[in-house]
Amino acid sequence: MAVPVVDPSLKSASVSAAADPPEETRPATGRFGRADALAIGAYVLLGVLVCLNYWGDIENRVSSHLPTDHSWFEWLFSHGAYSVRHLENPLFSERQNAPDGVNMMANTSLLGVTLPLAPLTLLLGPQVVYALYLGGALAATAATSYWVLSRRLVRSRAAAFVGGAFLGFAPGIVHHANGQPNFVSNFLLPLIVARVLRLGEPGRWRRNGVALGLLVAYQIFVNEEMLLLTALACLVIVVGYALSRWRSARAQAGTFLAALGLGGGLALLLTAYPIWFQFNGPQSYRGLQGGVFHSWGEDLAAFVTFARDTLAGDPAVEKTIGLTEQNTWFGWPVVLVTLAAIVLLWRRSLAARIAAVLVAVFTVASLGPRIRLNGEETEVYGPWHYIPDDLPLVEMMMPTRLTLVVTGAVGVLLALAWDTAARSGRGVPATDADGQPAVAGPGDAAPGTVTAGARHRWVRPVGCAAVALAVLPLVPRPLPAQQIDPPPAFITSGAWRPYVPDGRTLVPVPIPSNVHGLSTLRWSALTRHEFPVPGGYFIGPGPNDEGMFGAPNRPTSTLIYSTMDKGAAPELTDEDRRRAVEDLRYWRASVVVLGAHPREAALRDLMTGLLGEPRRVDDVWLWDVRPLV
């Protein structure tokens, strides 16, 4: 999670000149230069590297780790293009889960991205735009993190580069890139944190409040969950600053609260209807069935484990810890360097102390109902054991994702460690991150004095080398990709059009769901949503209005999934055939289509037993069910 802990002291001009950091220790705030261009260029190359395997056959490759999620987000890019092209409400879609539709605000719809990129999607197709955006989002997150770090926290451009690279390409973020681009779309978060910490600037509360409100409003249409995590992180940062610099914080409180109120009010005004639609519109829901996310806590062994998609990673380790989101798979070198940075910078840097508090608070909060170690639950209760499952907001949270805040704090600590090492021995006045005289630590000169260059020359190479060697094993590898069959020519050529009049649906076999029908979900995504389909991959209301994945199974879809699992069609009864006709009427079906599939023979036998003999049209089996429904 790209949440740099911006030095709170740099946000306000209300701090007296005597308390301002000396010019030598302030972060450089110059114009865009060669170092900045090189940093951003390197991030772009890393983004290309991560997506490299997709580009080998961009139209027929999806994530090997989360192929269904990959296809869902391709569908979302098509949804954005469809909404713009047809001037339809993007908050809802009738092109999936027909005839009920899908509440897009109640799903990870990424509207803040898919709508602006709609012209590009119409031009290049959702597969190409998906890969372009995925790499671009990773690079953009690293770039905004670098910008905030270099302009607000550290003086060394190299330190900002390392911190930005970690924040944009951390193991957990790259792991989410396997089919979940919403969790790598964090490019606004560093800007939001930086703006929050400037709310106390006197005379600028209106400008700062408006800027914050616009950023927050836009982030709501990118990823609400990451915005919530960022808000929790900002709360800890502001409280930590207030406790450490109470006098300064009290002087800024009025301005800070006025700007915060203005920003919050503006964000609410801009997003009031979409948020209402999310919780009260059609196909909205309350919570998730069984508190599916609540028990997913972080494994303690994960922190010192190298993630699968890094240079030092090994996929075999997943057999020990299990298939998790790898949010904290930092590897032991980064953990050691982070702990060392906390110890060495604790008395010298307010920003380091606040980052350390973030690490501690959100690590503990991520441990779930029971402490896990090497994939096994222990008998020790975690903090979530004491939190009710049905608590609003909490019921939708996954404890392990709280460690994305830890990722942000670790990135800041790495940047601070590099920056401190790079400035050691240069005769820099000893001050802490708040511009106050530093408290002497082991081996330090007396507070407020100039360090002896010759005495500390070894700190720079050793410190920078330690940070570099810790992060190098985490350089990402290209994401694993797998081939997927293209849609049938019957679909892509438009041969289906005479069979599907307006107001009717095309029923693909298998019917898309969160488990089955990956290929048929792409039929809709890759044909610009020209025809609606039943089922799908989404979260919608279940029998008790609790959220559930996919549409409630109907008798025919249950038969289809059972046949796929067993590899053979069951014995059918007249009741099965009657229910099949009822389901087709409910779906407003006009045609049932079966393309190439590993279970094609069994599925053809099933649908023939239910609907009669099919016709072979192009490369599909087709049942024209209009006479039945």
Side-chain angles (χ1 to χ4, degrees):
M1 176 184 179
V3 184
V5 184
V6 183
D7 184 350
S9 70
L10 301 178
K11 67 183 171 62
S12 175
S14 66
V15 183
S16 66
D20 283 340
E23 186 66 27
E24 297 91 333
T25 62
R26 288 180 186 168
T29 57
R31 297 178 181 178
F32 186 86
R34 181 181 300 177
D36 302 323
L38 289 174
I40 294 173
Y43 297 149
V44 171
L45 291 177
L46 274 176
V48 172
L49 172 68
V50 169
C51 300
L52 195 61
N53 286 333
Y54 296 145
W55 290 107
D57 186 4
I58 191 67
E59 295 185 352
N60 299 302
R61 287 187 182 179
V62 296
S63 167
S64 298
H65 185 66
L66 292 172
T68 308
D69 282 40
H70 187 132
S71 296
W72 160 250
F73 279 95
E74 287 182 343
W75 190 92
L76 288 178
F77 278 103
S78 285
H79 166 71
Y82 182 89
S83 299
V84 170
R85 182 185 180 195
H86 295 274
L87 300 180
E88 291 196 357
N89 177 14
L91 307 182
F92 191 80
S93 176
E94 296 179 342
R95 315 313 286 181
Q96 192 175 162
N97 192 35
D100 299 318
V102 177
N103 188 320
M104 303 306 295
M105 277 301 295
N107 283 268
T108 54
S109 54
L110 210 63
L111 291 173
V113 173
T114 62
L115 294 176
L117 292 182
L120 201 60
T121 303
L122 291 171
L123 178 65
L124 301 177
Q127 310 103 305
V128 175
V129 175
Y130 175 94
L132 281 174
Y133 175 74
L134 184 63
L138 289 163
T141 299
T144 56
S145 301
Y146 165 84
W147 193 262
V148 171
L149 288 170
S150 63
R151 268 60 181 176
R152 291 283 162 187
L153 187 62
V154 299
R155 186 172 183 83
S156 166
R157 288 292 195 265
F161 174 77
V162 170
F166 187 85
L167 289 161
F169 295 90
I173 302 300
V174 172
H175 187 78
H176 279 290
N178 287 280
Q180 296 178 328
N182 56 317
F183 280 104
V184 308
S185 304
N186 302 323
F187 39 84
L188 294 181
L189 302 185
L191 305 179
I192 290 174
V193 174
R195 188 57 58 178
V196 167
L197 296 176
R198 297 181 65 184
L199 295 181
E201 291 180 332
R204 298 183 178 181
W205 68 273
R206 291 183 182 86
R207 185 183 70 177
N208 290 330
V210 169
L212 178 64
L214 293 175
L215 288 169
V216 168
Y218 195 84
Q219 178 63 32
I220 285 174
F221 296 101
V222 176
N223 191 330
E224 292 178 79
E225 186 173 354
M226 293 301 288
L227 179 61
L228 174 61
L229 295 180
T230 303
L232 294 174
C234 285
L235 177 62
V236 173
I237 293 170
V238 171
V239 170
Y241 175 71
L243 294 177
S244 299
R245 298 287 183 263
W246 171 246
R247 185 175 300 175
S248 175
R250 185 172 58 182
Q252 301 169 46
T255 304
F256 181 92
L257 293 175
L260 182 64
L262 175 61
L266 177 61
L268 182 60
L269 177 66
L270 294 174
T271 61
Y273 177 72
I275 291 176
W276 175 88
F277 195 94
Q278 175 178 345
F279 293 102
N280 298 283
Q283 292 298 105
S284 57
Y285 52 87
R286 297 289 184 274
L288 285 176
Q289 284 184 348
V292 63
F293 292 151
H294 191 75
S295 62
W296 200 343
E298 192 54 273
D299 193 304
L300 288 176
F303 288 86
V304 294
T305 302
F306 290 110
R308 182 196 61 200
D309 298 323
T310 61
L311 288 180
D314 182 359
V317 77
E318 293 180 334
K319 298 178 181 179
T320 302
I321 297 180
L323 293 174
T324 73
E325 291 188 342
Q326 302 186 14
N327 295 316
T328 59
W329 293 40
F330 300 135
W332 60 265
V334 163
V335 172
L336 290 180
V337 168
T338 300
L339 293 176
I342 291 173
V343 172
L344 296 175
L345 299 178
W346 180 265
R347 302 180 68 187
R348 299 170 58 89
S349 169
L350 174 60
R353 290 197 293 274
I354 292 176
V357 171
L358 285 172
V359 169
V361 169
F362 285 91
T363 294
V364 172
S366 72
L367 298 181
R370 286 185 181 271
I371 305 300
R372 296 171 60 87
L373 183 63
N374 285 322
E376 300 292 335
E377 283 191 349
T378 69
E379 297 300 317
V380 181
Y381 288 136
W384 287 73
H385 174 77
Y386 306 98
I387 301 176
D389 290 351
D390 57 354
L391 199 64
L393 288 182
V394 171
E395 63 184 352
M396 297 289 292
M397 294 181 67
M398 187 182 296
T400 180
R401 289 182 181 167
L402 292 170
T403 56
L404 293 172
V405 177
V406 178
T407 296
V410 169
V412 170
L413 286 167
L414 293 174
L416 287 171
W418 185 294
D419 189 58
T420 302
R423 291 189 290 110
S424 294
R426 290 186 173 184
V428 177
T431 58
D432 69 8
D434 199 33
Q436 306 298 325
V439 179
D444 289 337
T449 65
V450 178
T451 58
R455 182 180 177 187
H456 294 281
R457 284 176 182 170
W458 62 271
V459 174
R460 183 183 183 190
V462 171
C464 294
V467 176
L469 292 174
V471 299
L472 278 177
L474 303 183
V475 172
R477 293 186 293 187
L479 298 175
Q482 68 181 39
Q483 291 291 129
I484 187 171
D485 292 333
F490 175 81
I491 297 295
T492 56
S493 68
W496 56 269
R497 294 182 184 279
Y499 300 94
V500 187
D502 290 341
R504 293 293 183 174
T505 64
L506 184 151
V507 179
V509 179
I511 295 169
S513 74
N514 64 308
V515 178
H516 303 94
L518 164 62
S519 59
T520 53
L521 179 62
R522 299 185 85 231
W523 294 8
S524 174
L526 304 187
T527 54
R528 299 183 177 182
H529 292 193
E530 292 295 334
F531 52 82
V533 296
Y537 183 61
F538 61 95
I539 301 178
N544 299 315
D545 286 335
E546 288 184 316
M548 62 175 289
F549 289 92
N553 282 342
R554 298 189 66 83
T556 304
S557 55
T558 299
L559 282 174
I560 291 173
Y561 302 147
S562 174
T563 298
M564 292 174 63
D565 292 337
K566 296 177 181 178
E571 293 291 331
L572 299 176
T573 66
D574 289 341
E575 181 66 12
D576 292 327
R577 299 180 182 91
R578 184 188 67 79
R579 288 178 176 176
V581 173
E582 285 184 354
D583 292 341
L584 293 172
R585 287 174 178 165
Y586 176 80
W587 291 324
R588 301 175 186 170
S590 63
V591 65
V592 178
V593 179
L594 169 63
H597 191 277
R599 301 291 194 185
E600 180 180 344
L603 290 171
R604 185 178 68 247
D605 290 343
L606 171 68
M607 301 312 298
T608 298
L610 292 173
L611 305 176
E613 290 295 328
R615 293 169 51 196
R616 187 67 177 177
V617 181
D618 295 337
D619 53 350
V620 302
W621 296 103
L622 184 144
W623 290 263
D624 189 341
V625 297
R626 285 174 290 182
L628 295 177
V629 300

